[in-house]
Structures are given as C-alpha cells and as structure tokens.
Amino acid sequence: MLPAAAGATGAPTPSITIPKTTRPKTTRPKTTRPKTTRPKTTRPKTTRPKTTRPKTTRPKVTGNAAAIAFYRKVVKATAATEGVEEIYPPQQPLTQAKFAGKRLSWAEMQSTKAGFSPATDVVFVGAEHGKVTFVADSVLYAGKGTIFPDFGLLLTAKGEVLLANGAAARTGPAGKKTPVYPCAGGYSGPKLVAGYNQVGIQFGYSLIGHFDKMKLVDKAKAYQVTSTYPWFGNPAQTATEVDTVPIATDLPALTVIHVSAAGKFAAFTMREANIWAHQKLYPPATNGICAAYVKGVP
C-alpha cells in the first residue's frame, strides 16, 4: 500500500483564484526604482465534502504466507530508496480539475465528478532515512473535458502551496538553468497532496490487509500481489490493490487500486506506474512566498 497516509474517502475539493501578474513599470531616466505590483494571492476557499482520514489502528495481516513474506521484502526495499516518481494516467486518475471564471478547483482520490476533467498526474515523493521529506504533484491537462491550466501542489514540513505550471522535482541542487515554477500562493485548507497530509512519516509500501496467493507474470520475471484492506470511510469502503513487482528489485513497477462503492460513495480506480529513485530528490524550485516552503528540505 502506497502511500502509508492514504485512505481518505471523499477528499476535500479546494479551489483557488489564480493571481494575475503585473509587470513592473519603468520610467527612464529617473534613478528611482520602478514600482512593482506583486500578484495578489487569494487564499483558497474550500468546498468540502466529508473527509474521512484513515484510522490509526491497522487491520491484522492475514492470508497467504508466501505472499506476506515476499511483501515484507517489498516494504524494506521501498523504504531503502531515496523516493519515487509516480505517474497516474487520466484514464484512471488520482486528480480531477476544473477551471471556471479564473477559479481553479480540484479533487483527489474520488470517483468521477461532474464538470471536472481527469488529469495526468506526475507525483514526486522525496525520502531520506525512510521518512517522507516532501511531496510534489504536477496536475496536467490531458486534453479531455474542461480545459484548466497546468498547476502543481507542493507539501513540505511548512505546509502546502500552489505552484503555476507544475511542480517537478529534480536530482540535483538548483542552478541558474533550473526551471522555476512560479508561486501561485499559500494554501490554508486541509492539507492533502497525492494522498499525503503530512511529511516526516514512514516512506514506502506498507504491509496491511489480506493477501491472496501470488501469481507469476511478465514471463516469470515479476510477481503479481493482490491485497485487500479497508478504505476507511463512513460507510467503510474496501480497497483491492494489485501490485506488479519485478523479482529482481522487489520494487513495485505498477500499482492498481480498486475502491468499492459504499453508501453515497461511488467506486473508482487509481493506476500508477513507479520509477524508484536511487539518488537524492530535491523539491521543485519556486519563488515568492513559496520559496520558504522548500528552504531547508533535506
């Protein structure tokens, strides 16, 4: 199960007004500095369907002994990496977004929402010593439904901010040629970026739920591991996770999570492809008030 903090049903649907940027006016030949009109940032208003966070008590691990033993190796291998790049396609999205009247709204980990467009998500989770250091989510228009501008969500120990154009991580310190993702403002709503509501927690896959007997796939080069666990809500939903794990690495290459319907909550599916990092990941470079959020990130 990844991330360890995921499991929120009916996640909040925040919205924010994208600020306009006015370029500074310059009057020559006066030596006085030009006046700069900074973009106004409107704190996001959130329209919140009920949010249920995962319970702290985990269900007992049950099922096939060989699958459980193998998955312990998966947990250890994922925690030993420097992070992961997760790619979510719009066909089975993590995030949906809409843009109307210059107001941007998005929904994470939910079934199809009317008026929202499924997005392509590229998520970077940075890790150090087995703990999450930052989460950066680039939400990109996928060419279907209402057009919205590409944007990024960034979560660090300081909180969550919104970036324009995206939020791509990097594998080296920022330099003169490093792309800068403009700060679109702080975010005061309930924190949730790609299923994470905080950093500093355990990084990697978690051993949880009931495990079925494994299957050999990809010409016997990988195991397909199926587990079932509660997707906490009221009423409770059930998540069935199918991980495809190359035997040579013990690192899941593909994860598909099917969440059942329950009460007013419809069923939905999320699909992610993973690229595991074996060198340090750095958060996206940004400016304005957002720069303070990446300062000091390990």
Side-chain angles (χ1 to χ4, degrees):
M1 175 184 177
L2 178 75
T9 303
T13 306
S15 59
I16 190 171
T17 300
I18 298 294
K20 291 183 178 179
T21 303
T22 305
R23 294 185 178 180
K25 296 179 180 179
T26 56
T27 51
R28 297 183 180 180
K30 290 183 179 179
T31 57
T32 54
R33 291 185 180 180
K35 292 182 178 180
T36 304
T37 305
R38 294 186 178 181
K40 295 180 180 179
T41 56
T42 303
R43 292 236 176 222
K45 294 180 179 179
T46 56
T47 49
R48 298 177 58 186
K50 290 184 179 179
T51 303
T52 359
R53 299 197 178 187
K55 296 179 181 178
T56 54
T57 55
R58 293 184 177 183
K60 184 179 179 181
V61 178
T62 60
N64 183 267
I68 293 171
F70 175 72
Y71 214 78
R72 290 188 193 279
K73 295 168 62 179
V74 171
V75 172
K76 184 177 179 180
T78 57
T81 66
E82 299 289 329
V84 65
E85 178 184 359
E86 305 166 4
I87 303 169
Y88 295 84
Q91 293 80 8
Q92 293 174 325
L94 170 75
T95 306
Q96 302 166 71
K98 71 175 181 179
F99 189 58
K102 299 182 181 179
R103 183 164 289 273
L104 177 66
S105 303
W106 64 94
E108 293 185 343
M109 304 164 66
Q110 294 190 46
S111 56
T112 302
K113 290 180 68 65
F116 284 67
S117 299
T120 297
D121 270 87
V122 181
V123 177
F124 287 91
V125 184
E128 188 173 65
H129 306 306
K131 302 293 183 181
V132 175
T133 55
F134 73 89
V135 185
D137 183 3
S138 292
V139 183
L140 313 173
Y141 177 66
K144 182 180 179 181
T146 306
I147 296 175
F148 62 87
D150 296 343
F151 64 97
L153 303 169
L154 175 63
L155 179 67
T156 67
K158 187 174 174 62
E160 181 179 342
V161 287
L162 179 72
L163 309 182
N165 304 332
R170 57 192 195 281
T171 55
K176 292 182 179 180
K177 295 184 179 180
T178 302
V180 173
Y181 296 91
C183 180
Y187 174 61
S188 60
K191 299 176 183 64
L192 188 69
V193 178
Y196 290 85
N197 55 20
Q198 62 181 348
V199 300
I201 60 173
Q202 174 190 336
F203 171 73
Y205 277 56
S206 300
L207 186 68
I208 183 175
H210 180 85
F211 286 79
D212 295 341
K213 183 179 179 180
M214 296 184 296
K215 298 178 182 178
L216 276 172
V217 295
D218 191 21
K219 299 180 180 178
K221 293 180 181 179
Y223 280 124
Q224 187 178 82
V225 185
T226 301
S227 58
T228 305
Y229 49 87
W231 192 263
F232 298 106
N234 186 17
Q237 293 172 274
T238 299
T240 300
E241 179 171 327
V242 181
D243 300 308
T244 302
V245 187
I247 298 172
T249 64
D250 294 335
L251 296 171
L254 178 67
T255 289
V256 182
I257 301 176
H258 306 281
V259 180
S260 68
K264 66 177 182 179
F265 299 116
F268 64 96
T269 298
M270 296 184 297
R271 179 187 182 92
E272 71 177 78
N274 297 320
I275 301 173
W276 297 92
H278 299 286
Q279 58 181 318
K280 183 179 174 65
L281 288 178
Y282 294 82
T286 185
N287 56 17
I289 63 170
C290 299
Y293 286 72
V294 301
K295 187 177 181 181
V297 174

